[in-house]
Amino acid sequence: MSEPVDRARAAVTAAPVDLLTTRVGALLEREYGITDTELLQVDYRLAALIPLTGGEEVTAPGHPAWRCFDHQSPVYANGTGYLPVSMRGEQRGVLRVAPVTGEEQLAGLAEIATALAHELAAVDAGTDVYRTARRSRRLTLAAEVQWELLPGRSRLRPSFSLAGQLEPAYAVRGDSFDWSDDGERVWLATINGMGEGVTASMLTTLATCALRNARRAGIPLADQAALADQAIYDLHRGDQYLSTLLLELDLRSGLLTAVDAGSPRLVLLRGGEVSVQPLEAQFPLGMFEGTDYREQHLQLQRGDRLFMISDGVVEATGRSARYGETALDRMLRRTSPLTPLDAVRSLLGDLRAFVAGDLTDDAVVVCLDWLGPQP
């Protein structure tokens, strides 16, 4: 690694929270003669790349910044470099730098953009600077709660890749997702919420935190569902409840454990064929007192793709019809060559085009690829 790259990475990690991009820009000017540095963050809807310092949003799909974001590789265009700002699969945006002499200069600069992504992830919880700048409009209070609850939007590890998205992004109420991995297993929860506004987001928050508390206690998946069920029932006595799908994937064997509590559907894409997995529909969390939940098992094959999809997708209504199973099946087949994040974006983009605007009901889509056991 070159000395300028080493110094640039050191500058990123040493910069104060609000001066990360400023410090990087100053160092790039000194070391490379780059006079224009801008961080373009992807917005909550995955539809715009928004400059941190303000200015025109990048929305055209063929723009070099979007090519960089979509392919997760540096792009050179007309003396300007575009570098992916990503870490462990979490795609935060693009670093735009100019002037750049050519593609050969981009490799070292890409390492600086990756270091910037790690530092942004480290400081994001303690500042509003980056959250505020990546909004194309104001979030509702319920949506603010939901986005703060998420573990991230995408993740890439040696044995799996996953991504999720909420819609309508700026006004989502009760639908949500959660995940965690420890290197040997990955856990996922997809929640199809109940109610409107903040009431719905508070119910989903309780369910998510209860499931996390049970998961972190190291208990089996069915017992995680039972403890979350009891927490919701104790508070609402059956007046409020929600549907959830809980999954646990053994990353060495590909054995999938599932608990279907009312739930969003589970769809398998294998070899280009789409199949809805038959799960035992059990009571939603919080509907009754003392519900016992049962686990089911599914053996995945290397390269399998799973989708967890809430009812808001299939039941979305256009001018004269529902989106339905046929349209969903067609779109899922078309996602085969895409990354999980692009697959999620494509499905929800098709859904927005079908309804000709924002969804009126919540929808959540999570996509998981099992890449097979890794050494």
Side-chain angles (χ1 to χ4, degrees):
M1 188 182 301
S2 68
E3 289 185 8
V5 172
D6 283 339
R7 289 195 291 271
R9 295 186 66 179
V12 172
T13 57
V17 165
D18 59 343
L19 293 179
L20 279 172
T21 54
T22 302
R23 185 74 65 84
V24 171
L27 191 138
L28 290 178
E29 181 174 7
R30 184 169 66 250
E31 299 288 350
Y32 295 96
I34 290 171
T35 56
D36 179 15
T37 302
E38 180 64 273
L39 173 64
L40 307 174
Q41 295 187 108
V42 68
D43 84 315
Y44 285 82
R45 202 183 186 192
L46 291 170
L49 290 166
I50 306 176
L52 178 64
T53 57
E56 186 176 355
E57 300 175 1
V58 180
T59 57
H63 192 282
W66 273 115
R67 297 206 312 269
C68 171
F69 184 86
D70 290 339
H71 298 291
Q72 287 297 287
S73 61
V75 171
Y76 173 78
N78 301 319
T80 300
Y82 299 87
L83 312 163
V85 180
S86 306
M87 50 83 65
R88 297 196 174 197
E90 183 68 23
Q91 299 175 209
R92 303 186 66 93
V94 172
L95 187 65
R96 183 182 66 207
V97 292
V100 176
T101 57
E103 294 183 4
E104 65 280 356
Q105 191 178 15
L106 296 183
L109 296 175
E111 295 185 32
I112 298 169
T114 299
L116 176 61
H118 281 270
E119 289 306 306
L120 289 172
V123 305
D124 202 26
T127 179
D128 290 335
V129 169
Y130 304 103
R131 287 184 179 88
T132 301
R134 63 176 177 255
R135 303 175 184 204
S136 60
R137 62 180 183 265
R138 184 176 178 179
L139 285 114
T140 64
L141 177 55
E144 189 83 52
V145 172
Q146 293 297 68
W147 284 104
E148 288 296 302
L149 197 62
L150 295 184
R153 189 151 50 185
S154 53
R155 187 160 176 79
L156 175 62
R157 306 302 294 143
S159 53
F160 73 91
S161 177
L162 63 82
Q165 175 67 5
L166 308 178
E167 284 289 341
Y170 288 87
V172 67
R173 299 171 290 274
D175 282 15
S176 188
F177 57 83
D178 191 30
W179 63 58
S180 178
D181 81 280
D182 65 1
E184 296 184 355
R185 293 167 294 175
V186 58
W187 295 266
L188 300 100
T190 309
I191 294 173
N192 190 0
M194 172 187 180
E196 298 293 331
V198 175
T199 300
S201 65
M202 290 295 96
L203 181 62
T204 297
T205 298
L206 174 60
T208 302
C209 291
L211 287 168
R212 286 175 177 173
N213 179 256
R215 183 183 72 224
R216 291 164 183 169
I219 64 177
L221 202 65
D223 293 336
Q224 294 176 29
L227 287 175
D229 168 74
Q230 193 61 48
I232 296 169
Y233 185 84
D234 286 347
L235 185 63
H236 296 290
R237 313 306 295 179
D239 292 332
Q240 293 189 47
Y241 49 86
L242 48 72
S243 301
T244 187
L245 174 62
L246 302 181
L247 302 179
E248 178 184 321
L249 175 61
D250 186 311
L251 296 173
R252 294 181 177 177
S253 68
L255 181 64
L256 184 75
T257 303
V259 173
D260 178 350
S263 85
R265 68 191 61 210
L266 178 65
V267 183
L268 173 66
L269 179 60
R270 174 182 289 170
E273 295 300 318
V274 174
S275 59
V276 177
Q277 297 305 292
L279 297 178
E280 179 187 359
Q282 302 174 69
F283 291 127
L285 301 182
M287 180 175 280
F288 299 108
E289 185 174 17
T291 302
D292 289 325
Y293 291 93
R294 294 173 295 279
E295 298 176 352
Q296 292 178 258
H297 301 282
L298 172 67
Q299 182 62 53
L300 296 187
Q301 298 176 12
R302 185 190 299 266
D304 277 352
R305 168 168 287 181
L306 291 172
F307 285 94
M308 290 129 274
I309 300 171
S310 70
D311 292 342
V313 175
V314 177
E315 296 175 1
T317 303
R319 289 189 177 90
S320 60
R322 289 193 321 148
Y323 189 71
E325 303 282 355
T326 302
L328 177 63
D329 186 279
R330 181 192 71 248
M331 274 305 302
L332 295 185
R333 290 175 190 272
R334 290 170 59 183
T335 69
S336 293
L338 304 178
T339 66
L341 184 61
D342 285 340
V344 169
R345 286 174 61 201
S346 296
L347 173 56
L348 291 174
D350 189 66
L351 192 63
R352 288 197 298 266
F354 177 80
V355 303
D358 282 338
L359 277 63
T360 57
D361 191 16
D362 283 4
V364 60
V365 178
V366 175
C367 177
L368 169 69
D369 287 352
W370 183 54
L371 307 177
Q374 303 295 323

